[in-house]
Amino acid sequence: MIESDSPLFEVDVENYNGPLDVLLDLAKAQKVNLEEISITKLADQFHNYISNKKDLNLEVASEYLLMATWLAYLKSKLLLPGTPEEEFKVQEVAEKLKLQLKKLELIRLLSEQMLKRKRLGREIRTRGMKGNIRSIYSAEYKLNLFELLKAYSSIIMTKDFQKMNIPKLPVFTTEDGIKTIKDFFGKLVDWKNLEDLIPSNFKSGKKIKKTGKAGIFAGSLELVKEGNLKIKQDKLFDNIYIKEN
């Protein structure tokens, strides 16, 4: 607990006067009779302590609240009979709480030590520009474009927590082709050029036109395989025609 941020919470109840953490340790070691400790007075004092402190440290207050809760729990165990298994669990939880408090104390000590160390830019200064000294070593890095882009994207995503969104290109899939051809069912009594069935938004642009042809052709093959269409081509690289079976 950080004493500089908030003064220690002193308990003043019957049969005890001192810090709350000491009272908890004495209660666990059975060196103080919890039956004679008033939990009500303890709660009132803690409430006054919280209410009157304007610059109260929340971490310190939470630790005090945890200690007070444990005191109330231990006293309830004295008033209510429990099984040996429950007593074992209480002891186990008490040991875990003690270990956690030791960890918090260690974190506090280490943080104080880190703050006392010399800092770059305040106590420690970097060297200025080189004079007429030439370096006899020169680093040379060899990597391909993929490795360079991967390293750059990793740095950007780590720094700004950005997601890489790849735009979805317009693609006329086989499913789209099947659906488009089925919409013409009832009108394909005679042979019809397959390219006439390509949607208008897939006829402009060289790349978009390719995906339109591929999608409608793949869809027609699927319908032929199912027995719903007939397909013909008079000669190689000539137009493809379809009609209903």
Side-chain angles (χ1 to χ4, degrees):
M1 291 179 291
I2 307 172
E3 299 182 7
S4 60
D5 292 344
S6 180
L8 293 175
F9 173 45
E10 297 286 338
V11 180
D12 186 11
V13 294
E14 295 179 2
N15 303 317
Y16 180 78
N17 188 342
L20 181 60
D21 54 346
V22 177
L23 175 58
L24 180 59
D25 291 336
L26 291 176
K28 291 178 182 178
Q30 297 182 355
K31 294 183 179 181
V32 64
N33 190 358
L34 278 178
E35 293 180 352
E36 299 177 357
I37 300 297
S38 175
I39 300 298
T40 303
K41 291 184 179 180
L42 179 63
D44 291 339
Q45 290 182 18
F46 183 71
H47 179 266
N48 294 332
Y49 172 77
I50 296 292
S51 302
N52 296 330
K53 293 296 178 183
K54 296 182 180 179
D55 55 348
L56 181 66
N57 189 303
L58 292 180
E59 294 181 3
V60 176
S62 62
E63 291 182 22
Y64 285 144
L65 181 59
L66 183 61
M67 293 179 189
T69 304
W70 263 103
L71 286 172
Y73 178 75
L74 293 175
K75 184 168 182 179
S76 68
K77 286 298 178 181
L78 293 176
L79 301 176
L80 300 175
T83 62
E85 183 180 356
E86 290 179 348
E87 294 295 332
F88 175 75
K89 289 183 179 180
V90 170
Q91 186 65 26
E92 181 182 357
V93 175
E95 291 297 329
K96 289 183 179 180
L97 176 62
K98 186 176 180 181
L99 178 62
Q100 189 68 19
L101 292 175
K102 287 183 179 179
K103 288 182 180 180
L104 291 173
E105 181 65 17
L106 181 60
I107 292 173
R108 183 186 67 82
L109 293 174
L110 292 176
S111 62
E112 289 181 355
Q113 292 178 7
M114 291 182 65
L115 291 175
K116 290 179 182 178
R117 296 182 64 181
K118 296 181 179 180
R119 302 182 188 180
L120 182 64
R122 197 171 70 176
E123 291 86 7
I124 302 176
R125 302 293 179 180
T126 57
R127 184 175 178 179
M129 296 178 61
K130 296 181 179 179
N132 295 323
I133 303 175
R134 290 189 305 170
S135 175
I136 61 176
Y137 300 102
S138 59
E140 183 177 352
Y141 302 95
K142 293 183 178 179
L143 68 164
N144 54 35
L145 180 60
F146 173 77
E147 294 171 340
L148 181 62
L149 292 176
K150 182 179 179 181
Y152 175 75
S153 62
S154 300
I155 295 172
I156 294 299
M157 292 181 68
T158 303
K159 180 180 178 182
D160 299 332
F161 298 99
Q162 295 178 348
K163 293 183 178 180
M164 183 179 292
N165 296 320
I166 300 176
K168 183 179 179 181
L169 298 177
V171 177
F172 195 65
T173 63
T174 303
E175 290 76 12
D176 296 333
I178 294 174
K179 183 179 181 302
T180 301
I181 295 174
K182 284 185 175 180
D183 291 340
F184 282 89
F185 276 7
K187 302 178 182 178
L188 299 176
V189 181
D190 297 326
W191 293 102
K192 189 173 183 63
N193 192 342
L194 188 64
E195 292 188 8
D196 294 340
L197 275 64
I198 300 175
S200 58
N201 56 331
F202 283 93
K203 289 184 178 180
S204 60
K206 188 176 181 181
K207 293 183 179 180
I208 296 180
K209 192 173 182 180
K210 285 183 178 180
T211 185
K213 283 185 177 182
I216 200 73
F217 179 65
S220 65
L221 293 179
E222 289 293 327
L223 291 174
V224 169
K225 185 169 64 175
E226 294 175 1
N228 297 321
L229 283 181
K230 289 182 179 180
I231 189 169
K232 75 172 184 177
Q233 186 180 32
D234 296 334
K235 58 182 179 180
L236 192 64
F237 301 115
D238 200 359
N239 291 331
I240 300 174
Y241 296 89
I242 61 172
K243 76 173 183 177
E244 293 184 44
N245 196 358

